[in-house]
Amino acid sequence: MRMPEAVTPAEWNKAHEELMAKEKELTRAQDRLAAERRRQPGVRIDAEHGFTGEGGRFSLVDLFEGRRQLIAYHFMFAPGSKRPCSGCSMFVDNLGDPAHLNARDTTLAVVSRAPYPEIAAVREQRGWTVPWYSSFGDGFNEEMGVTVDDNDSFGLSVFIRDDTSVYRTYFTRGRGVEKLGTNWSLLDLTPLGRQETWEDSPEGVPQESPYAWWRLRDEYGD
C-alpha cells in the first residue's frame, strides 16, 4: 500500500499551506457559483401531480409541508423492484436531521415511482424517517426527466413556491449528487440559500447574521 512521503514539520506546513490556499479559492468559487444559482430562472409546474405517502394522498404543494422551498431527491425505485438502488440508499443514509433545513423554510423529501406499500416496506426496513412519496401512476418522474422510456435514473430537484404556483429552479444528477447531504450543501442549491448576510443574494431574499439562526435540532421554534 502506498504511504505518504515522510517530511519534516516545516516541509509539511509549507505543503499544507499551499494546499489550503487552493482549497480556499475553491470555496470562494463555490460561493460565486451558489450566488449565480440563486439567480437562476424557474420553470412553472402546471401539471396537477399527485403522490401517495404516509397518511394518504398529496399534491406537489403538500410536499412542501407549508414551507417555501422543497428539495426532492429522485430515488431509483421502480414498481416491482426487488431491492432499492445502493447509490440512492447511500445518499439517504447520509442525510441528517431535517430540523435545520426546516428552519430555513425548506423541506426535504424523496420521490420514487414504486407504489407506496413497496416504498413503505423499504423505508421501515432501512430505518429511514425522511418523507418518501410514491408518484406511481403519475407523470412526475417523466416531467422531471428522471424516467425515460420506463427507465429510471436518479437526481435531485429544487422547487420554490408562492401563493399560487410552484417553480423548479435547479436539478443535478450523477456526480453532482455525491457532494450533497449536509444542510449547507443542500441550502446552497436553493433560491434563498443559507439566508445569511455574507451571501451575494438577489434583492428580496431574507438574510440575517451568520450563525444567528443555528440551534440544537430540538430547540427550533423556542
Side-chain angles (χ1 to χ4, degrees), residues 194-212:
R194 306 183 192 191
Q195 300 161 56
E196 296 179 347
T197 51
W198 65 271
E199 291 178 299
D200 175 6
S201 293
E203 184 176 354
V205 170
Q207 291 186 319
E208 60 183 312
S209 299
Y211 317 119

Side-chain angles (χ1 to χ4, degrees), residues 53-132:
E54 188 175 24
R57 290 290 291 173
F58 302 89
S59 68
L60 180 57
V61 170
D62 291 333
L63 270 56
F64 284 74
E65 298 182 351
R67 302 183 183 94
R68 190 174 177 192
Q69 300 187 130
L70 170 68
I71 299 172
Y73 181 72
H74 305 285
F75 193 116
M76 290 175 58
F77 194 46
S81 295
K82 301 300 182 183
R83 56 175 290 163
C85 165
S86 58
C88 292
S89 297
M90 288 179 66
F91 176 81
V92 176
D93 281 339
N94 278 283
L95 294 175
D97 194 290
H100 308 290
L101 291 175
N102 297 165
R104 295 286 86 181
D105 213 6
T106 303
T107 298
L108 177 65
V110 176
V111 179
S112 297
R113 280 201 307 140
Y116 186 69
E118 297 177 16
I119 287 174
V122 171
R123 186 169 178 257
E124 181 178 3
Q125 179 190 50
R126 307 309 303 170
W128 293 330
T129 58
V130 61
W132 190 358

Side-chain angles (χ1 to χ4, degrees), residues 18-216:
E18 292 173 352
L19 183 63
M20 289 299 99
K22 295 176 182 178
E23 288 191 356
K24 288 180 180 179
E25 177 51 38
L26 176 60
T27 297
R28 288 189 285 267
Q30 290 173 331
D31 290 340
R32 291 192 294 269
L33 187 59
E36 183 176 347
R37 195 182 290 118
R38 288 190 288 275
R39 291 169 170 82
Q40 288 294 293
V43 58
R44 188 170 64 189
I45 308 299
D46 291 321
E48 296 292 333
H49 292 294
F51 307 85
T52 304
E54 188 175 24
R57 290 290 291 173
F58 302 89
S59 68
L60 180 57
V61 170
D62 291 333
L63 270 56
F64 284 74
E65 298 182 351
R67 302 183 183 94
R68 190 174 177 192
Q69 300 187 130
L70 170 68
I71 299 172
Y73 181 72
H74 305 285
F75 193 116
M76 290 175 58
F77 194 46
S81 295
K82 301 300 182 183
R83 56 175 290 163
C85 165
S86 58
C88 292
S89 297
M90 288 179 66
F91 176 81
V92 176
D93 281 339
N94 278 283
L95 294 175
D97 194 290
H100 308 290
L101 291 175
N102 297 165
R104 295 286 86 181
D105 213 6
T106 303
T107 298
L108 177 65
V110 176
V111 179
S112 297
R113 280 201 307 140
Y116 186 69
E118 297 177 16
I119 287 174
V122 171
R123 186 169 178 257
E124 181 178 3
Q125 179 190 50
R126 307 309 303 170
W128 293 330
T129 58
V130 61
W132 190 358
Y133 299 93
S134 167
S135 62
F136 182 73
D138 186 273
F140 180 73
N141 267 38
E142 286 79 5
E143 183 174 353
M144 298 299 105
V146 292
T147 298
V148 179
D149 297 330
D150 207 37
N151 293 312
D152 288 357
S153 59
F154 69 95
L156 184 142
S157 293
V158 176
F159 304 89
I160 193 168
R161 70 179 182 94
D162 57 19
D163 292 336
T164 61
S165 302
V166 173
Y167 299 85
R168 189 192 197 193
T169 62
Y170 182 73
F171 175 75
T172 190
R173 65 185 352 146
R175 293 196 66 191
V177 175
E178 290 181 3
K179 63 180 181 297
L180 304 177
T182 67
N183 302 305
W184 300 283
S185 65
L186 292 170
L187 288 172
D188 284 346
L189 305 179
T190 68
L192 301 182
R194 306 183 192 191
Q195 300 161 56
E196 296 179 347
T197 51
W198 65 271
E199 291 178 299
D200 175 6
S201 293
E203 184 176 354
V205 170
Q207 291 186 319
E208 60 183 312
S209 299
Y211 317 119
W213 62 276
W214 292 16
R215 302 284 187 278
L216 299 181

